Amino acid sequence: MAKRVSAFSSYSVALDESCDTTDTAQLAVYIRGVDNDYNITEEMASLQSMKRTTTGQTIFDELEKEALCAKTVNFQHVTNILVKAVNFIRSRGLNHREFQQLMADIDAEYSNVKYFCEPRWLSKAGMIKRAYDLLEEIVLFLNMKGNAIPEFRNKEWRCDLAFLVYITDHLSALNVRLQEKDQLINEMFSPIKGFQIKLRLWESQIRNQNPAHFSTLKNHDTSNLQYHKYGDKLAVLREEFSERVGDLKKHSQAIEVFASPFSVDLTAILEDMQMEIIELQCNDELRKKFDDNSVYRFYKKHVSVTVYPKISAYARKIMTVFGITYVCEQLFPKINLVKNKYRYSLTDEHLESILRVATSSIQPDIDELVSQMQHQPSH
C-alpha cells in the first residue's frame, strides 16, 4: 500500500462515520489515487475510533440519499403501518410459519414478507415493495388472525402507498446504480442528471393530473386522487435533490471536459490546456480510438503523459474523485461482524488491521514480508 501511495500523481479521500456494537463512533477513511500510468488504487487508509462526541455536522456526505428520502417522501402514516404489519408476521414464530404456509397454499408470487432491520431509510424500499405486492395476502392473513388494520382498506392510504412504492423504487435503483464498483465520476453524473429530468417530468405530469408513468398508481381508483399532494412532494424532492448534488453540478463542466474531450467548447477549458485540446481534437486517429473505447481505457492506452502532459494530469485528477461515500458505508457491516458481542474488547489497532486485510484488493508480497522478518536461529 505504501509503495502505491508513493506513486500517486493525484488522490482523493472519502470519509464517513458510524457506530459499532459498543456505540463507539468509527471514522472510516478511504483513499483513491492514480499513478502516471492511470492505474487506480482504492483502499482503506485508516479506521479511527472517535471517543469524543461526534455529530452528523462533523462528517457528512453531500449525496446522502437516506436523509434525502426521509425528509421528502417518507410517508410515516404509510411506513409505520407496514412495519407494524410485517413485525406482526415476522417477529412471532407461529405467525411467520402460518403466513408462509398460507402463501404456499394460495400459490402467491412470493413466499414471505421482507423484514426491515437496517438503520438506513432506503433499506425500507425492499420491504415496502414486497408488502405492496403481497398486500391482499397480508390483509387476508391479518383478518384470519383477528388483527385487521383498517388503513389497508382505505383508498387514499392505498394510493399513498402506491405513490411511495414508485418513488422509493426509483430512488433505490439510483442508489444501486451509484454503488457500482470501479466507476468514474462521469459515469455517476449521468444517472444523476437523468433522475433530475425524471423528477421534473413526474412533477409536471402529476400536477396536470396525468399519472402516466406511475404504474403503481394506475392500478388504483384515481378519480379522487389528491394530485396536488403528490406534486408538492415531488417538488420538495426535486429541490432537495438539486441542493444535495449542487457541488457536483458546479463541476459539471470539468467532468464534461474529461468525458468528452473531442466535443468540448474550447472557451470552457483552462487556458493552459487549450493548445493540447486543439491538437487532440484534430487527431482523427485518436478520435476513432475514443469512439471505440471506454473513457478510462482511452486515457490509459492512448493519451500519453509525455505527449499530452496537461490533459493527462487533468484526467488523472478527475479519475480520483469519489462520487459518494458508499465505499465507506460498505465497511460498517464488516465492523459489526468483526467487533461483535463476543469480541467487544477488540482493540482499535487490531480491528483496523483485521479490516484492512479483509477489504484490501492488493495481493500481499509474501517474499517481501518474509524478508523483513528477523530470523530466529535454532539453538
Side-chain angles (χ1 to χ4, degrees):
M1 178 64 181
K3 288 181 179 179
R4 294 201 184 190
V5 171
S6 64
F8 287 167
S9 57
S10 296
Y11 69 90
S12 296
V13 294
L15 304 91
D16 203 357
E17 172 259 347
S18 186
C19 291
D20 60 24
T21 52
T22 62
D23 288 330
T24 300
Q26 299 285 353
L27 176 65
V29 182
Y30 267 74
I31 187 169
R32 180 185 175 103
V34 60
D35 61 23
N36 286 336
D37 293 323
Y38 299 98
N39 296 311
I40 300 174
T41 298
E42 186 176 288
E43 291 287 327
M44 185 183 81
S46 178
L47 182 70
Q48 295 291 325
S49 294
M50 303 176 71
K51 305 296 185 183
R52 298 177 182 177
T53 303
T54 180
T55 69
Q57 293 300 314
T58 307
I59 305 158
F60 62 96
D61 178 9
E62 283 299 326
L63 197 56
E64 181 52 69
K65 297 169 292 302
E66 325 304 337
L68 176 68
C69 295
K71 193 171 183 179
T72 57
V73 296
N74 183 14
F75 286 4
Q76 286 195 346
H77 68 288
V78 174
T79 56
N80 288 347
I81 293 297
L82 292 179
V83 170
K84 177 183 176 181
V86 170
N87 284 346
F88 177 80
I89 295 170
R90 291 293 302 259
S91 64
R92 304 177 188 182
L94 178 60
N95 287 352
H96 191 198
R97 290 192 297 274
E98 289 179 344
F99 182 79
Q100 289 179 306
Q101 184 59 52
L102 175 63
M103 295 302 97
D105 291 344
I106 65 177
D107 195 24
E109 182 179 0
Y110 301 104
S111 62
N112 210 345
V113 289
K114 288 189 175 182
Y115 202 13
F116 170 68
C117 58
E118 297 289 337
R120 300 285 184 174
W121 192 91
L122 258 186
S123 65
K124 284 185 180 178
M127 180 271 290
I128 294 171
K129 180 64 165 63
R130 179 64 60 83
Y132 176 78
D133 291 336
L134 290 175
L135 190 60
E136 298 306 325
E137 289 83 354
I138 292 173
V139 169
L140 174 62
F141 181 76
L142 293 178
N143 288 340
M144 290 170 55
K145 300 294 288 186
N147 194 40
I149 296 178
E151 285 83 355
F152 284 167
R153 290 303 181 191
N154 184 286
K155 291 182 179 180
E156 183 179 343
W157 187 91
R158 283 191 168 221
C159 286
D160 287 350
L161 171 59
F163 174 81
L164 185 63
V165 167
Y166 186 82
I167 294 299
T168 55
D169 219 23
H170 279 272
L171 282 167
S172 185
L174 176 64
N175 189 33
V176 171
R177 175 68 178 81
L178 295 178
Q179 291 171 12
E180 292 179 5
K181 290 181 66 65
D182 302 323
Q183 290 191 95
L184 299 178
I185 188 63
N186 61 294
E187 295 170 310
M188 293 184 173
F189 194 48
S190 296
I192 289 173
K193 287 193 298 183
F195 190 72
Q196 288 181 297
I197 295 172
K198 289 177 183 178
L199 284 173
R200 289 195 294 269
L201 177 64
W202 293 337
E203 181 188 351
S204 174
Q205 291 180 330
I206 284 293
R207 290 196 185 281
N208 288 317
Q209 301 187 6
N210 175 18
H213 296 288
F214 285 77
S215 54
T216 50
L217 268 179
K218 290 191 293 185
N219 293 330
H220 298 269
D221 180 7
T222 60
S223 57
N224 296 314
L225 198 65
Q226 298 182 26
Y227 287 100
H228 65 89
K229 177 174 67 175
Y230 301 140
D232 291 344
K233 283 289 183 181
L234 288 167
V236 174
L237 177 59
R238 172 178 51 78
E239 291 168 3
E240 285 288 329
F241 191 84
S242 295
E243 181 179 339
R244 292 182 181 275
V245 300
D247 281 351
L248 189 60
K249 194 171 183 179
K250 290 177 185 176
H251 301 293
S252 60
Q253 186 63 57
I255 297 171
E256 186 68 21
V257 172
F258 166 74
S260 305
F262 288 93
S263 58
V264 70
D265 183 0
L266 286 171
T267 61
I269 301 172
L270 295 174
E271 292 180 352
D272 64 347
M273 282 179 55
Q274 287 176 339
M275 295 300 101
E276 288 188 13
I277 287 290
I278 291 174
E279 293 178 13
L280 184 75
Q281 291 181 345
C282 293
N283 190 317
D284 293 336
E285 183 178 349
L286 283 183
R287 183 184 292 272
K288 187 177 185 307
K289 298 289 186 184
F290 181 80
D291 293 338
D292 294 341
N293 290 274
S294 67
V295 172
Y296 173 73
R297 186 173 177 81
F298 169 73
Y299 282 105
K300 181 174 176 62
K301 295 294 184 181
H302 306 293
V303 179
S304 168
V305 175
T306 55
V307 178
Y308 299 103
K310 301 289 186 183
I311 296 177
S312 174
Y314 183 85
R316 283 179 276 126
K317 184 177 180 180
I318 296 295
M319 286 178 183
T320 67
V321 176
F322 285 95
I324 57 175
T325 60
Y326 184 69
V327 64
C328 297
E329 293 174 24
Q330 287 181 312
L331 183 68
F332 298 137
K334 295 183 177 70
I335 292 177
N336 290 330
L337 283 174
V338 173
K339 193 175 181 179
N340 55 44
K341 62 181 180 181
Y342 303 109
R343 306 175 71 188
Y344 64 88
S345 60
L346 196 67
T347 66
D348 296 337
E349 183 180 359
H350 286 152
L351 176 62
E352 181 180 9
S353 298
I354 292 170
L355 290 169
R356 190 182 302 282
V357 172
T359 61
S360 179
S361 60
I362 299 175
Q363 293 297 318
D365 187 339
I366 302 299
D367 292 337
E368 176 66 18
L369 293 172
V370 170
S371 69
Q372 295 175 9
M373 302 296 293
Q374 182 176 357
H375 297 284
Q376 183 68 39
S378 58
H379 298 286

